[in-house]
């Protein structure tokens, strides 16, 4: 079974594209959602987070995401430390999940596929590309955030053009090109590999 990565910057349309693959019967592992789950349910990860960030990060056993975000999003080293704790466990969890899939191929959707080293475990990576001004407009609408807040998030991710160069395939989601034909073309290609 082929293991496919799906990545792109904030607001590029990763989730939107992933949902189209799901409608074709392709299973998708959403790294962000699973990381949130693991931070609340994986005892090894919980202990490591408490060790480095203190007891206050969990309230009544539940991760206080706002509090943790207030620590890591203003401090690059602390964000890197948190990622160094979560990434290996999410990568392992995604590998276990992949090994249980029976579809012709399965997809792992993650914003930090290259940064985390997760791309090394995958056969191909699809990048979802949208120019920055469109990504900002979409995220402003979706999350009700200011341009400044979105730009801060963008500045923490590797450059979008550089990221796309690392991908084997690129889906352009720029409000001009249709997504579905691009998804279908890749779907056909991946089925032919089996
Ligand atoms: P994040 O990294 O922030 O989770 P993402 O890359 O998964 O973002 P999506 O959540 O898929 O991006 O898309 C961001 C927003 O833009 C969503 O509200 C989505 O509905 C919208 N969007 C994505 N693609 C399009 C499109 N082609 N046309 C209109 N709206 C779109």
């Amino acid at each position: 079974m082929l293991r496919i990565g799906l990545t792109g910057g904030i607001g590029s349309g990763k989730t939107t594209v992933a949902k189209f693959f799901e409608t074709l019967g392709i299973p998708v592992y959403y790294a962000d959602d699973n990381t949130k789950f693991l931070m609340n349910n994986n005892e090894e990860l919980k202990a490591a987070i408490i060790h480095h960030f203190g007891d206050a990060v969990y309230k009544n056993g539940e991760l206080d995401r706002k509090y943790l975000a207030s620590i890591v999003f203003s401090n690059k080293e602390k964000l890197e430390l948190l990622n160094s704790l979560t990434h290996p466990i999410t990568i392992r969890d995604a590998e276990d999940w992949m090994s249980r899939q029976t579809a012709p191929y399965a997809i792992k959707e993650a914003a930090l596929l290259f940064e985390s080293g997760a791309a090394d475990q995958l056969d191909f990576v699809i990048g979802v590309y949208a120019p920055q001004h469109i990504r900002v407009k979409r995220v402003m609408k979706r999350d009700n955030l200011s341009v400044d807040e979105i730009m801060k998030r963008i500045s923490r991710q590797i450059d979008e053009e550089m990221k796309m160069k690392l991908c084997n395939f690129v889906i352009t989601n720029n409000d001009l090109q249709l997504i579905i034909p691009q998804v279908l073309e890749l779907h056909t290609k991946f089925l032919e590999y089996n």
Side-chain angles (χ1 to χ4, degrees):
M1 187 198 73
L2 280 180
R3 292 156 190 245
I4 309 289
L6 181 64
T7 194
I10 177 170
S12 59
K14 296 178 293 298
T15 308
T16 305
V17 168
K19 297 284 174 206
F20 285 125
F21 280 102
E22 280 194 290
T23 63
L24 297 168
I26 300 305
V28 178
Y29 180 94
Y30 293 92
D32 213 29
D33 294 346
N34 282 291
T35 303
K36 282 176 199 157
F37 176 83
L38 291 165
M39 284 168 111
N40 272 311
N41 295 284
N42 181 298
E43 294 307 324
E44 180 192 339
L45 181 57
K46 279 174 84 169
I49 292 173
I50 290 169
H51 175 75
H52 290 283
F53 296 97
D55 288 332
V57 174
Y58 288 88
K59 266 196 196 125
N60 305 320
E62 276 289 300
L63 183 73
D64 184 344
R65 289 172 42 76
K66 263 200 177 153
Y67 174 69
L68 185 59
S70 73
I71 300 173
V72 298
F73 286 143
S74 55
N75 184 318
K76 192 168 173 267
E77 281 75 34
K78 288 194 172 156
L79 179 61
E80 281 170 7
L81 171 63
L82 180 65
N83 284 340
S84 76
L85 303 176
T86 58
H87 286 160
I89 289 177
T90 308
I91 289 173
R92 219 190 304 148
D93 187 62
E95 281 173 10
D96 286 350
W97 177 88
M98 283 273 184
S99 66
R100 292 195 301 273
Q101 303 311 310
T102 54
Y105 67 97
I107 291 179
K108 177 179 177 181
E109 187 253 72
L112 305 180
L113 215 47
F114 293 109
E115 297 88 330
S116 66
D120 300 343
Q121 326 292 329
L122 301 161
D123 297 302
F124 296 112
V125 176
I126 306 167
V128 181
Y129 176 76
Q132 188 168 295
H133 70 279
I134 294 183
R135 292 161 54 209
V136 170
K137 187 186 73 184
R138 286 182 187 151
V139 178
M140 277 176 81
K141 193 170 161 204
R142 185 192 62 188
D143 298 341
N144 203 20
L145 290 174
S146 69
V147 176
D148 278 359
E149 285 167 309
I150 300 164
M151 290 310 293
K152 252 191 220 154
R153 291 178 191 203
I154 288 177
S155 72
R156 285 195 292 265
Q157 301 187 338
I158 63 170
D159 176 71
E160 190 75 350
E161 272 74 15
M162 201 166 92
K163 188 177 273 189
M164 293 303 120
K165 285 197 183 124
L166 298 171
C167 296
N168 304 99
F169 308 101
V170 174
I171 290 180
T172 303
N173 182 23
N174 61 357
D175 291 348
L176 296 171
Q177 278 169 264
L178 295 173
I179 305 175
I180 294 174
Q182 299 179 74
V183 168
L184 286 175
E185 192 185 330
L186 287 178
H187 180 67
T188 308
K189 210 185 277 283
F190 296 145
L191 292 183
E192 283 168 0
Y193 268 95
N194 288 282

